[in-house]
Amino acid sequence: MAPPGRRWMFDFLLLSAIWGASFLFMRLAVVEFGTMPTAFVRVAIASIVLLPLLWMRGQGQHLKRHWRGLVVIGMLNSAIPFALFAYSLLSITTGLSAILNATVPLFGAVVAWLWLKDRPTGSRVLGLAIGFLGVAMLAWDKASFKPDASGLAPGWAVLACLVATLFYAVAANSAKRYLTGVPSLVAATGSQLGATLGLAVPALWLWPAGMPGMKAWLAVIMVGVLCTGVAYVLYFRLIDQLGPARAVTVTFVVPVFAMLYGGLFLGEAVTGWMLFCGAIIVCGTALSTGLLRVPVGRR
């Protein structure tokens, strides 16, 4: 068996690369499927992939025992955020949405403070201030709520990303509090089934009139199988190994892969301002989660 440290580091980097690709695949899918159908097909495919694995491992009883909590986690951690990010990718780049996604640990620290009474002190408070300053600087650059050439306002897309990250943060803390000890495969499968149920009606109501093309179908299949099914097994395993505050720091590395994929396959530009604000966000988040410490209030 591999040493624990080496095992979680491999999962961490693999998950970063996989989730970086999710922005690319969702961008390719949402232009033809639309927001709700993209999110629905993503979680439905993930459920189809994960459910047989769950039964083959004989873990079905855990799913029955914890189904209420898993449905709630599925709505908070998948259904709502996936729909919000799909919407945002109609008008902003994959790189920008991934940088905004890196604010998850910031919101995670705030949620843990307000809900779990895990009060940050010293450098962690400074980190929250720095991180949210970086978010404000980045969002201000895209703060226009006037429709652009796509017919959508980038300001609403940025806001959608930030609301999605807040839901991720609530879900991570909820999973740690209510699903501790639940096998990662059970948590991943149950949450995707819950998200599928939650998205079914709005997705079918808003299903596109024309059949999406092969490229869109391949993209949504990849985001469902790889970026959701496989990724959430890794993610819930990281929560068990590291705790929610450190597990969500995987979002630090995701923008690197997202910008790389966006530049290579979509021809998206990465501006110096995006990189500068992203660096501020990452530094602030590292401080707020305790991964980086500086003496505050000492002589």
Side-chain angles (χ1 to χ4, degrees), residues 39 56 74 131-132 149 151 167 177 225 231 282:
M56 284 190 293
F132 282 114
F167 275 100
R177 181 162 186 173
V225 174
V282 169

Side-chain angles (χ1 to χ4, degrees), residues 72-268:
V72 173
I73 295 297
M75 292 299 296
L76 296 175
N77 201 61
S78 298
I80 297 172
F82 289 176
L84 289 170
F85 271 110
Y87 167 78
S88 71
L89 287 167
L90 288 170
S91 57
I92 63 175
T93 66
T94 58
L96 176 57
S97 59
I99 290 174
L100 292 168
N101 187 57
T103 62
V104 172
L106 289 176
F107 286 108
V110 173
V111 170
W113 180 7
L114 298 177
W115 181 24
L116 303 181
K117 308 306 179 185
D118 181 13
R119 183 177 180 178
T121 58
S123 63
R124 296 183 65 188
V125 174
L126 176 63
L128 287 172
I130 292 173
F132 282 114
L133 174 63
V135 172
M137 293 167 62
L138 183 62
W140 185 261
D141 189 50
K142 298 290 182 179
S144 174
F145 288 92
K146 296 180 179 179
D148 57 14
S150 67
L152 300 171
W156 290 116
V158 170
L159 184 61
C161 288
L162 294 176
V163 173
T165 59
L166 176 59
F167 275 100
Y168 281 146
V170 172
N173 283 280
S174 299
K176 185 62 177 179
R177 181 162 186 173
Y178 298 113
L179 298 181
T180 297
V182 176
S184 58
L185 180 58
V186 175
T189 305
S191 64
Q192 297 314 296
L193 287 170
T196 302
L197 293 174
L199 288 169
V201 172
L204 294 175
W205 181 265
L206 298 171
W207 194 261
M211 176 63 69
M214 181 61 67
K215 183 171 70 173
W217 273 108
L218 289 175
V220 81
I221 289 171
M222 287 299 294
V223 81
V225 174
L226 181 64
C227 304
T228 310
V230 174
Y232 271 100
V233 173
L234 294 173
Y235 179 58
F236 284 111
R237 191 159 69 188
L238 280 175
I239 289 179
D240 285 340
Q241 294 171 348
L242 304 178
R246 283 180 168 79
V248 295
T249 59
V250 69
T251 55
F252 292 172
V253 189
V254 168
V256 177
F257 288 99
M259 287 187 287
L260 175 63
Y261 301 146
L264 288 176
F265 299 108
L266 298 177
E268 293 180 347

